[in-house]
Structure formats: structure tokens, C-alpha cells
Amino acid sequence: MSKVPPVWDVDFTKMLGEFKVPGVDLDAVLQAQRKNIEALTAANRTAAEGLQAFARRQGEILRQNLTELQSQFTAVASPGKPDEKLAKQTELAKTAFEKAIADMKELAELLAKSNTEAAEIVSKRVSASFDELKGVLKAPTPTKR
């Protein structure tokens, strides 16, 4: 295994610590950035989990609809008077349409919930970042003459 070239083997935290900026707590800045990355990671994880739940539910709905469609074809193909069949087909079409609308609404709500949860993670972190920024940017202490 090759050793990392010395030019890349750098501790940036230590290096930045050597550059003291008056009135700025560098450790707090680095800690805040770590928290920002953690929040973005959590938001991305939440969004990805939401998309997975959406895809699973969409697959379940598709399977249910295919099963229902098969039973409807059987019902429509059964013997009967033409006007009774037309009434049955009309009722089945109405039921299928209403279910499709309900399914679309459910899927939209599922995505909206996931997006809201991810946005809340980022929003809380942004709010906390502003509070931390107040603490990091300390007022410089006046020098005595």
C-alpha cells in the first residue's frame, strides 16, 4: 500500500487553527460546518426514504389495481342483459376513477410529507446556524491605551 504524499497529508483543522482571526472562534465555525453537513445528510436520507416509500406504495397500488381490473373483466364478461352490463360497466368505471383519484392524492400526500420533513431538518439547522453565528462573531474586546 502506498503512503499518502506529504502534500496531501495535511491536518486542515490544525492549519486553520494557526490562523487566528480576532473575534472569531474557529473551533465553533468548524463545529457549525460539521453540523451543517450532518443536517444536509439527514435531509437527503429523509428525502430518499420518502421516495422509497412512495415507490413501494405505488407498486402496491399497481398490484391492487391489476387484481381489481382482472375481477372487473370477469364481472363484465359474465352473461346478462346488455342494459345490465352497461350499468355494471358504468359503475365499475366510476369506482375505478374515484379510486385512481384517491390513490393519486395518497401518493401526493406521501411525497409532500417526505419533502416537508426534509425541509424542516434544513430549516432547523439554518436557524441554529444563525444563533451559532452570533456566538462565533464575538465583539472584539476594546484595547486599553
Side-chain angles (χ1 to χ4, degrees), residues 65 68 72 87-103:
N65 288 344
E68 183 66 27
Q72 289 175 359
K88 188 181 278 188
Q89 288 173 347
T90 303
E91 185 58 33
L92 290 174
K94 178 183 174 192
T95 302
F97 176 76
E98 290 170 348
K99 183 169 179 351
I101 295 297
D103 290 344

Side-chain angles (χ1 to χ4, degrees), residues 69-80 85-86 88-90 92-93:
L69 186 62
Q70 185 178 14
S71 68
Q72 289 175 359
F73 278 137
T74 304
V76 170
S78 64
K85 283 186 157 189
L86 181 60
K88 188 181 278 188
Q89 288 173 347
T90 303
L92 290 174

Side-chain angles (χ1 to χ4, degrees), residues 71-140:
S71 68
Q72 289 175 359
F73 278 137
T74 304
V76 170
S78 64
K81 296 181 182 177
D83 57 336
E84 291 173 352
K85 283 186 157 189
L86 181 60
K88 188 181 278 188
Q89 288 173 347
T90 303
E91 185 58 33
L92 290 174
K94 178 183 174 192
T95 302
F97 176 76
E98 290 170 348
K99 183 169 179 351
I101 295 297
D103 290 344
M104 286 189 294
K105 182 179 176 185
E106 177 187 352
L107 290 172
E109 289 170 354
L110 193 62
L111 276 181
K113 180 182 179 234
S114 172
N115 289 339
T116 299
E117 289 172 357
E120 284 175 1
I121 292 169
V122 173
S123 177
K124 285 178 184 177
R125 182 61 211 138
V126 168
S127 179
S129 290
F130 282 118
D131 292 340
E132 291 166 0
L133 186 60
K134 290 177 194 174
V136 169
L137 299 175
K138 303 174 202 162

Side-chain angles (χ1 to χ4, degrees), residues 14-79:
K14 182 179 176 185
M15 190 171 75
L16 287 173
E18 293 173 6
F19 297 101
K20 299 287 183 194
V21 179
V24 176
D25 181 355
L26 187 59
D27 289 334
V29 170
L30 293 174
Q31 182 71 6
Q33 289 305 316
R34 184 185 60 74
K35 289 178 183 177
N36 290 344
I37 291 169
E38 289 172 355
L40 288 175
T41 301
N44 284 334
R45 187 180 322 108
T46 299
E49 289 168 357
L51 286 175
Q52 289 172 347
F54 175 86
R56 275 192 306 274
R57 184 63 186 129
Q58 193 174 39
E60 291 168 3
I61 289 170
L62 179 60
R63 283 187 292 280
Q64 290 170 353
N65 288 344
L66 289 175
T67 301
E68 183 66 27
L69 186 62
Q70 185 178 14
S71 68
Q72 289 175 359
F73 278 137
T74 304
V76 170
S78 64

